[in-house]
Amino acid sequence: MSTGLSIPVRMTEVRVLENLAYGVPVSEALSRVCDYIDGELPGAVSAVLMLDENEMQFRLVAGPRVPTPLSKAIDGLKIPAWLHGGVNCGAPRQGRPGTVWDIRSDALFADRREIALSSGFTAAWSLPIWSTKRTTLGTVVIFHPNSQAAIAEVPKAMETAVHLAAIAIQHHYNEIEMRTLTRRLLQSHDEERRLIARDLHDSTGQDLASLLMTLGRAERRGAQVPPELAEMLAESLLLAEKISGEIRTLSCLLHPPLLDVCGLGVAIEAYANELNRRGELEVEMDISPQLPRLSEEAEVALFRIVQTSLTNVHLHSGSNVAKIKMDFDAEGLTLTVTDHGRGIPVAVLEHFERFEGAGVGLAGMRERAKALGGDLTFETSEIGPRHGTTVKVNIPSRNYRI
């Protein structure tokens, strides 16, 4: 094989990077790497194992052509002594296989020998997957039917394939880290809203209540003050009542107390009824009265998704009508928010689907759903008789409150 990269390698590289850009699962991206390796080494099959430092073992992530019994046997391989700590102290230098095994005699295969041999393989070797900081991310294991096929030097194309595996795994870890940080950020926002709402209700709200009582007493003495002053008192009382109402509304929008006391269904109905009363939207609701209580995190997350969805309907859809529907069963809960507006522009939706984002808007809604182990999808159209947008969230039943 030439020292330069062949066309198949370039195609594999592009395909893997495209998969990562489109957000496919790490197992799918790594399966493409295995496809290439298997094609370059006739008779061999490859698998990618990621390092699990917590359990001190390797976990099988991809190996599309490894026989199922062998896949189960290699899932959970113990970490060699030279990899303890996650740093390659004393590990083989780059460009050489990390380990070469004769399956018929190597002690590592003592518990796996019969499975490997019955699958048609007598040799196996591993290519360590390293990060740019030289920490171990995992290993590519290649099984071969010929025990004499162990290679001393890794072909350039194979090095590239392993490098692609490193990119995919590092991307996966970065994604997990970003999602963890995003979740903490959203939780921090929710807690800050809760504290502000409590302060508005307990402090500012009480001060306004005292002001209203004082102005009320002063107004009742209207006969004892000049008419001009009595008129000013009446205006001040009306203004204070308006401010008090706005404070209560703002407090509820920041964190509705009904969410903690009565649960998600009641809180959403109260929120939708307030929007109907103020004339901002006409919201129809289809929520079962038997809706179960969810975990605190799930109730807050779904309420925020509804809140953001209705805000988007009001600000962007051009429609003044929306519908909220919630169904549940033993498997989980489904929430849908539908409008008949102009739909989400294709460019916006494509950007949302192709790239991970964090924080607010559509990306924040998606992260809230993922944090619950669920998913969020959009069905939208800018034209035709079925134009409009449907936001659909599915979360598993493990979020039900026991």
Side-chain angles (χ1 to χ4, degrees):
M1 183 177 292
S2 64
T3 56
L5 295 184
S6 65
I7 294 298
V9 174
R10 295 194 190 99
M11 291 176 62
T12 300
E13 190 169 3
V14 170
R15 190 176 298 115
V16 171
L17 295 177
E18 282 182 344
N19 285 343
L20 295 176
Y22 278 90
V24 303
V26 65
S27 59
E28 187 174 334
L30 292 174
S31 290
R32 302 291 75 77
V33 174
C34 291
D35 288 342
Y36 169 72
I37 295 174
D38 297 351
E40 287 289 300
L41 299 174
V45 298
S46 60
V48 179
L49 294 88
M50 285 173 53
L51 179 65
D52 182 348
E53 288 187 308
N54 294 327
E55 300 292 334
M56 298 302 290
Q57 60 189 358
F58 289 105
R59 287 294 183 188
L60 180 68
V61 182
R65 274 164 291 282
V66 177
T68 300
L70 186 56
S71 295
K72 293 179 179 179
I74 64 174
D75 186 21
L77 280 173
K78 294 301 180 183
I79 298 175
W82 52 265
L83 281 179
H84 286 187
V87 180
N88 288 306
C89 302
R93 67 178 180 83
Q94 191 169 10
R96 289 186 179 276
T99 310
V100 179
W101 299 308
D102 185 333
I103 292 175
R104 295 167 298 184
S105 59
D106 198 289
L108 182 65
F109 275 84
D111 298 331
R112 306 169 176 85
R113 184 169 293 116
E114 292 303 320
I115 294 176
L117 293 175
S118 64
S119 298
F121 305 113
T122 60
W125 62 88
S126 74
L127 308 175
I129 303 172
W130 291 321
S131 72
T132 55
K133 296 181 180 179
R134 301 292 290 172
T135 58
T136 302
L137 298 174
T139 183
V140 174
V141 178
I142 303 175
F143 294 94
H144 201 281
N146 183 358
S147 60
Q148 303 301 316
I151 52 177
E153 294 292 336
V154 179
K156 185 68 176 178
M158 219 53 48
E159 287 187 24
T160 302
V162 174
H163 180 62
L164 287 173
I167 293 174
I169 294 174
Q170 190 62 64
H171 177 81
H172 171 68
Y173 285 141
N174 291 342
E175 198 174 75
I176 291 175
E177 183 178 4
M178 183 193 70
R179 184 156 293 122
T180 299
L181 292 173
T182 300
R183 184 177 181 180
R184 290 176 181 171
L185 178 63
L186 292 171
Q187 289 175 336
S188 176
H189 286 174
D190 290 333
E191 184 59 28
E192 190 66 23
R193 288 176 175 181
R194 188 195 301 268
L195 293 174
I196 294 173
R198 185 180 302 163
D199 286 344
L200 286 174
H201 180 272
D202 296 344
S203 179
T204 308
Q206 296 304 316
D207 291 341
L208 275 170
S210 298
L211 177 61
L212 283 168
M213 288 189 290
T214 301
L215 289 173
R217 288 199 303 270
E219 186 186 40
R220 287 193 291 274
R221 297 184 180 183
Q224 304 173 20
V225 298
E228 183 179 353
L229 181 58
E231 183 179 351
M232 293 172 64
L233 284 172
E235 290 177 356
S236 297
L237 183 60
L238 289 174
L239 181 61
E241 289 175 344
K242 180 182 177 183
I243 294 173
S244 180
E246 290 177 348
I247 289 292
R248 283 197 301 272
T249 299
L250 180 58
S251 177
C252 288
L253 291 177
L254 286 169
H255 185 82
L258 288 174
L259 194 59
D260 297 327
V261 178
C262 302
L264 180 64
V266 174
I268 288 178
E269 287 182 356
Y271 176 66
N273 288 334
E274 177 65 18
L275 294 179
N276 291 339
R277 184 188 67 80
R278 292 161 62 178
E280 294 183 1
L281 278 175
E282 182 181 334
V283 183
E284 178 186 349
M285 286 164 285
D286 183 2
I287 301 175
S288 170
Q290 282 78 44
L291 189 73
R293 289 300 303 267
L294 308 177
S295 67
E296 180 180 326
E297 181 184 7
E299 289 187 337
V300 171
L302 292 178
F303 182 84
R304 296 299 179 208
I305 289 173
V306 169
Q307 198 173 38
T308 303
S309 298
L310 293 180
T311 298
N312 288 339
V313 172
H314 177 62
L315 295 178
H316 306 300
S317 75
S319 172
N320 64 348
V321 177
K323 180 178 180 179
I324 303 170
K325 189 174 188 296
M326 278 199 287
D327 300 308
F328 73 96
D329 56 27
E331 299 298 320
L333 180 146
T334 299
L335 162 71
T336 57
V337 182
T338 307
D339 69 71
H340 298 289
R342 61 175 63 98
I344 302 176
V346 173
V348 173
L349 197 57
E350 285 181 349
H351 182 80
F352 169 77
E353 295 293 345
R354 289 183 60 181
F355 300 100
E356 292 291 336
V360 297
L362 304 185
M365 293 163 64
R366 174 178 56 191
E367 291 306 315
R368 288 185 183 278
K370 286 187 176 181
L372 301 176
D375 60 80
L376 180 145
T377 58
F378 293 94
E379 297 175 6
T380 186
S381 174
E382 298 179 85
I383 58 174
R386 298 178 61 83
H387 68 286
T389 300
T390 296
V391 178
K392 186 175 182 179
V393 183
N394 294 294
I395 64 168
S397 60
R398 70 169 186 257
N399 294 285
Y400 293 168
R401 191 173 299 189
I402 299 175

